[in-house]
């Protein structure tokens, strides 16, 4: 039976799943939620409800924060700084890397051991091997909270920079976002001739599965940094993409999702890189600080 007192701040869909999992694993759990009524199923199942965030902080050695966003987190943690001193705070609320770093700096100023987390899972996946949770920040805090965090799913410490977990989360979400938009573009094009979305879905899935392994080749070209392997070039890609854009428009489908890609390739070609490997496009994505 695990020992340790864990507090969960926030009982939305994700916070509730996390509190339930920790309780079911055997941890003594205290919960707090802005809308107090949401604590009822948790107290019925054996958790203790705290009336205020400072009270909730007092009741836990490890405090998990699962609130809406960065602003909400700071709004509720700052007045409880004295209660959190000497404790481990694990913030699983989705934030940006700089927001995570800002909260880490605030925590350090108040003697709080801080870990920032990113949940790569939906609430129903919590407690299963399919859930992946990333953590960054205070490694000692990770060692202390580790056994409890392992109960939530696969746990991975990504480094001492508190922004790293969020950065990886956002990078993977960016990849998903662009991939799913591509999926919708294909559906929109095929719908013009009456093909149902579900049928195009199957086609896209097979096609992407065949193409995904090439991602590692793209990565090797980027890491090599020379963009001279003689593979698919910027100009070759421009021609292909121009055809896709024309085909979309011919079918009465907007190409506005594809046009920014073509603009980046055009910029590369115009600056003398038409013969470069197309992954050179990454240069256009990097904004000098
Ligand atoms: P919900 O919308 O279900 O819950 C939001 C929680 O934040 C509730 O506890 C809500 O309290 C609380 N809250 C909102 N505004 C305030 C406020 N001003 N003051 C105090 N509490 C507030 O969201 P989730 O539980 O799904 O998500 C929580 C976090 O987890 C988010 O950052 C989300 O991005 C992240 N996450 C969620 C995933 C998911 O699939 N659900 C996946 C990965 C990450 P109240 O009940 O009073 O409204």
């Amino acid at each position: 039976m695990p020992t340790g007192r864990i507090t969960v701040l926030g009982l939305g869909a994700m916070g509730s799943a996390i509190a339930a999992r920790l309780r079911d694993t055997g941890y003594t759990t205290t919960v707090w939620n802005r809308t107090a009524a949401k604590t009822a199923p948790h107290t019925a199942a054996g958790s203790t409800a705290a009336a205020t965030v400072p009270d909730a902080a007092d009741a836990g050695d490890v405090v998990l924060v699962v609130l809406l966003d960065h602003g909400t987190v700071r709004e509720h943690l700052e007045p409880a700084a004295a209660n959190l001193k000497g404790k481990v705070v694990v913030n699983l609320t989705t934030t940006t890397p700089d927001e995570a770093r800002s909260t880490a700096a605030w925590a350090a100023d108040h003697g709080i051991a801080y870990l920032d987390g990113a949940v790569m899972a939906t609430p129903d996946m919590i407690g299963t091997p399919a859930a992946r949770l990333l953590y960054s920040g205070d490694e000692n805090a990770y060692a202390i909270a580790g056994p409890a965090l392992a109960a939530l799913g696969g746990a991975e410490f990504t480094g001492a920079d508190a922004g790293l977990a969020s950065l990886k989360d956002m990078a993977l979400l960016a990849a998903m976002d662009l991939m799913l938009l591509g999926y919708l573009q294909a559906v929109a094009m095929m719908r013009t001739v009456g093909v149902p979305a579900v049928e195009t879905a199957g086609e896209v899935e097979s096609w992407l599965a065949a193409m995904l392994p090439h991602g590692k080749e793209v990565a090797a070209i980027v890491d090599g940094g020379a963009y001279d392997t003689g593979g698919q070039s910027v100009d070759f890609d421009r021609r292909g993409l121009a055809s896709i854009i024309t085909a979309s428009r011919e079918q009465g489908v907007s190409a506005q999702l594809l046009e920014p890609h073509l603009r980046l390739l055009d910029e590369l070609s115009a600056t003398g890189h038409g013969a470069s490997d197309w992954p050179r496009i990454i240069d256009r994505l990097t904004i000098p600080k």
Side-chain angles (χ1 to χ4, degrees):
M1 178 72 82
T3 54
R5 305 175 308 151
I6 300 194
T7 285
V8 179
L9 303 178
L11 294 173
M14 185 55 80
S16 280
I18 287 171
R21 173 65 184 160
L22 292 170
R23 189 173 56 241
D24 292 348
T25 311
Y27 285 97
T28 301
T29 51
T30 297
V31 293
W32 172 86
N33 195 60
R34 175 182 63 173
T35 306
K38 285 193 191 167
T39 62
H42 293 274
T43 50
S47 293
T48 301
T52 67
V53 173
D55 287 350
D58 285 341
D61 306 310
V62 172
V63 178
L64 300 189
V65 188
V66 202
L67 293 171
L68 189 64
D69 56 15
H70 174 68
T72 321
V73 170
R74 295 298 286 272
E75 175 192 340
H76 291 281
L77 290 193
E78 284 178 17
N83 310 76
L84 293 167
K85 190 172 181 182
K87 305 207 169 185
V88 171
V89 169
V90 186
N91 184 14
L92 294 171
T93 309
T94 303
T95 64
T96 68
D98 274 356
E99 287 169 345
R101 291 175 186 126
S102 156
T103 304
W106 169 82
D109 284 347
H110 292 84
I112 300 163
Y114 183 77
L115 263 188
D116 204 273
V119 183
M120 310 289 303
T122 51
D124 55 305
M125 291 159 70
I126 293 299
T128 74
R132 183 177 180 216
L133 291 94
L134 313 174
Y135 302 96
S136 54
D138 186 325
E139 197 161 6
N140 192 40
Y142 184 67
I144 294 167
L149 300 179
L152 304 180
E156 183 183 323
F157 184 73
T158 56
D161 169 358
L164 282 178
S166 161
L167 178 60
K168 192 186 272 196
D169 182 28
M170 295 291 155
L172 295 179
L173 289 173
M176 181 184 78
D177 187 71
L178 290 171
M179 182 193 74
L180 290 178
L181 280 180
Y183 165 90
L184 273 187
Q185 183 76 23
V187 167
M189 291 169 78
M190 294 308 293
R191 255 194 353 171
T192 62
V193 290
V195 177
V198 70
E199 196 176 316
T200 306
E203 299 268 0
V204 172
E205 205 174 313
S206 309
W207 174 241
L208 290 185
M211 289 299 104
L212 270 178
H214 293 293
K216 290 215 172 64
E217 291 163 21
V218 171
I221 291 171
V222 170
D223 285 341
Y227 304 103
D228 60 358
T229 67
Q232 205 159 299
S233 70
V234 166
D235 281 340
F236 181 90
D237 238 26
R238 283 173 71 219
R239 281 190 294 277
L241 190 56
S243 295
I244 299 167
I245 287 173
T246 304
S248 293
R249 290 185 185 138
E250 282 175 0
Q251 292 302 122
V253 173
S254 165
Q256 60 184 318
L257 295 174
L258 299 163
E259 285 157 359
H261 183 182
L262 184 58
R263 266 200 302 280
L264 293 169
L265 290 169
D266 286 346
E267 283 168 18
L268 274 179
S269 193
T271 50
H273 297 300
S276 286
D277 296 328
W278 73 266
R280 187 164 209 142
I281 208 166
I282 201 164
D283 285 354
R284 312 300 299 178
L285 300 182
T286 307
I287 304 168
K289 283 211 173 180

